[in-house]
Amino acid sequence: MKILLRFLFMLLVIFNPNAQQTARAFTGTYGINYGRIADNIPSPDKVVKLLRAAKIKNVRIYDAEPSVLNAFKGTGLELVVGLPNGFVKEMSANADHALNWVKDNVKAFLPDTRIVGIAVGNEVLGGSDNEMEVALLNAVKNVYNATKKLGISDVVQISTAHSQAVFADSFPPSYCVFKDGVAQLMKPLLEFFSKIGSPFCLNAYPFLAYTYNPDKIDINYALFQPNEGIVDNKTHLHYDNLLDAQIDAAYAALEDAGFRKMEVIVTETGWASDGDENEPAATPSNARTYNYNLRKRLAKRKGTPLRPKKMLKAYIFALFNEYQKTGQSSEKNFGLFKADGSISYDVGFSGLQDISAASSLLSLKEEDWKEVESMYQS
């Protein structure tokens, strides 16, 4: 049956000149953000070992650093590269620059490095740079058109991630809409993404919501722990965790804007293991609880209360603690791993030292194993 369906699909594509293959940038449900704002973290080749040992296939970076792209060659890991915010205005103003950037930073590494997406900017809308906000749509279009010209638009998906600053109100979820100052820029962007089959990318942080509203939010609700939950008085849907509510708030805003069918993918979520005095919830225990329970939640491969058939997909923030990041102490302490490659807390992954030790054992020659066995037998 599967062979027959595949054959019929191929016929449909062949005989329908308007058919377009949509690029998909996510396999499964679990991914990781690999930030590098630190000069003491493991080298990219060691990061590859870490990711493969953890069986994490989906990876996002915030630039297109050649040393990272080369390290990922032939690994099977799927990578979304980032066009930094500092390039958005330039790419918007000059299509040739966008073409050259995609050619040098993406096309040149395919197919050996499996680059499956380009994130154009990060949290641009709802930010403080109005010129960049206005430039975003044309930057997205120019980058997409570059992939078309280079013949890679069917394998490289174009997107941009949004913070919750784009929403007017996200509680209860069904009341969520885009802010007035954002909506007029968001709608044409969504129209373009709908046309090319890209999802709505959301950076969602129950950690931040709880930190700013500890008197209104039960920490167990934020951590996927047993709690009474909340009921949306409009949809009458019950939520037992804050992340699902944040995602459904995004779905509600999309529906209000006329994009009910668009998928929401979580491009960042995590919990800090350390913070300043005004961030008391940033502890190793809470970070472990959130990330462990989130991993279990994603493994269920189910949707949210509002979109139960759309399997939740999320990139965890982040792979490493990054001590050179600016802002509050929590910003530097979202890593599942410490800078030396050891685990920050146990969510089921192994640190670099454990992986290296296991690799050394596996690489022993057969005669070495015989020698070891004879030692124990004598």
Side-chain angles (χ1 to χ4, degrees):
M1 178 61 78
K2 287 184 179 179
I3 296 174
L4 177 60
L5 288 173
R6 189 177 295 121
F7 176 71
L8 291 173
F9 175 76
M10 290 176 64
L11 285 177
L12 177 65
V13 172
I14 292 170
F15 291 106
N16 182 4
N18 296 318
Q20 176 178 307
Q21 184 176 346
T22 300
R24 293 290 174 188
F26 205 114
T27 301
T29 63
Y30 193 94
I32 196 87
N33 285 279
Y34 169 24
R36 305 186 319 283
I37 307 179
D39 59 12
N40 60 347
I41 59 176
S43 60
D45 59 313
K46 290 182 179 177
V47 169
V48 166
K49 292 180 181 178
L50 202 62
L51 293 169
R52 295 183 79 173
K55 295 182 172 59
I56 299 174
K57 187 175 185 178
N58 303 290
V59 185
R60 285 170 58 87
I61 60 175
Y62 293 89
D63 54 16
E65 168 59 39
S67 64
V68 175
L69 301 185
N70 282 319
F72 276 60
K73 279 185 178 179
T75 63
L77 300 173
E78 299 188 346
L79 191 62
V80 174
V81 301
L83 176 79
N85 286 2
F87 288 91
V88 169
K89 295 176 188 177
E90 176 188 349
M91 300 306 162
S92 175
N94 195 313
D96 288 338
H97 287 190
L99 180 64
N100 289 334
W101 189 92
V102 175
K103 183 178 180 182
D104 294 342
N105 294 283
V106 180
K107 172 72 171 177
F109 293 91
L110 291 171
D112 295 337
T113 300
R114 297 187 66 177
I115 300 173
V116 296
I118 302 171
V120 181
N122 185 49
E123 299 186 349
V124 173
L125 297 188
S128 57
D129 190 334
N130 184 250
E131 288 184 9
M132 189 189 301
E133 289 182 301
V134 173
L136 180 61
L137 175 59
N138 210 48
V140 166
K141 287 182 176 179
N142 283 344
V143 169
Y144 174 74
N145 289 335
T147 65
K148 290 274 287 184
K149 287 182 180 179
L150 295 168
I152 58 174
S153 62
D154 60 336
V155 294
V156 179
Q157 184 184 78
I158 310 302
S159 64
T160 190
H162 305 286
S163 74
Q164 292 195 299
V166 300
F167 303 129
D169 191 6
S170 59
F171 182 82
S174 63
Y175 284 65
C176 189
V177 295
F178 292 112
K179 284 181 179 175
D180 289 340
V182 170
Q184 57 266 44
L185 297 172
M186 182 68 80
K187 188 161 186 178
L189 184 66
L190 295 176
E191 286 173 349
F192 185 71
F193 281 148
S194 180
K195 178 181 176 182
I196 65 174
S198 292
F200 182 87
C201 294
L202 176 68
N203 295 344
Y205 285 94
F207 166 73
L208 294 178
Y210 176 78
T211 297
Y212 297 143
N213 302 280
D215 56 330
K216 296 180 180 177
I217 298 174
D218 179 358
I219 194 167
N220 292 313
Y221 179 62
L223 293 172
F224 302 95
Q225 294 287 75
N227 67 95
E228 292 182 3
I230 65 112
V231 174
D232 188 312
N233 59 16
K234 183 178 177 182
T235 62
H236 304 294
L237 293 172
H238 179 264
Y239 292 87
D240 61 13
N241 72 83
L242 181 51
L243 182 64
D244 276 3
Q246 290 179 327
I247 295 165
D248 276 356
Y251 275 124
L254 287 169
E255 186 166 353
D256 178 75
F259 299 91
R260 188 183 188 283
K261 294 183 179 180
M262 185 170 286
E263 181 183 16
V264 174
I265 289 180
V266 177
T267 35
E268 288 183 16
T269 190
W271 198 285
S273 60
D274 195 12
D276 294 326
E277 287 186 9
N278 63 344
E279 301 172 305
T283 67
S285 176
N286 286 342
R288 184 215 176 260
T289 298
Y290 181 81
N291 282 295
Y292 180 76
N293 287 339
L294 173 60
R295 194 178 175 199
K296 289 198 301 182
R297 162 72 178 84
L298 294 171
K300 293 178 181 178
R301 304 175 72 87
K302 69 174 187 177
T304 59
L306 190 62
R307 295 286 187 272
K309 294 183 180 180
K310 285 190 180 292
M311 184 173 64
L312 177 59
K313 304 169 186 174
Y315 289 91
I316 312 309
F317 188 88
L319 188 58
F320 297 111
N321 288 336
E322 300 169 73
Y323 84 99
Q324 290 178 314
K325 292 195 75 172
T326 57
Q328 294 193 278
S329 295
S330 61
E331 286 286 335
K332 306 172 186 181
N333 290 285
F334 273 89
L336 297 182
F337 296 88
K338 298 177 183 178
D340 62 3
S342 63
I343 59 173
S344 296
Y345 38 80
D346 186 8
V347 292
F349 299 135
S350 297
L352 263 180
Q353 190 171 359
D354 295 330
I355 293 167
S356 299
S359 297
S360 298
L361 285 172
L362 289 171
S363 64
L364 283 172
K365 295 179 180 179
E366 187 176 349
E367 54 267 28
D368 295 326
W369 278 112
K370 288 179 179 177
E371 183 178 343
V372 170
E373 287 174 0
S374 64
M375 289 172 58
Y376 280 99
Q377 289 170 358
S378 59

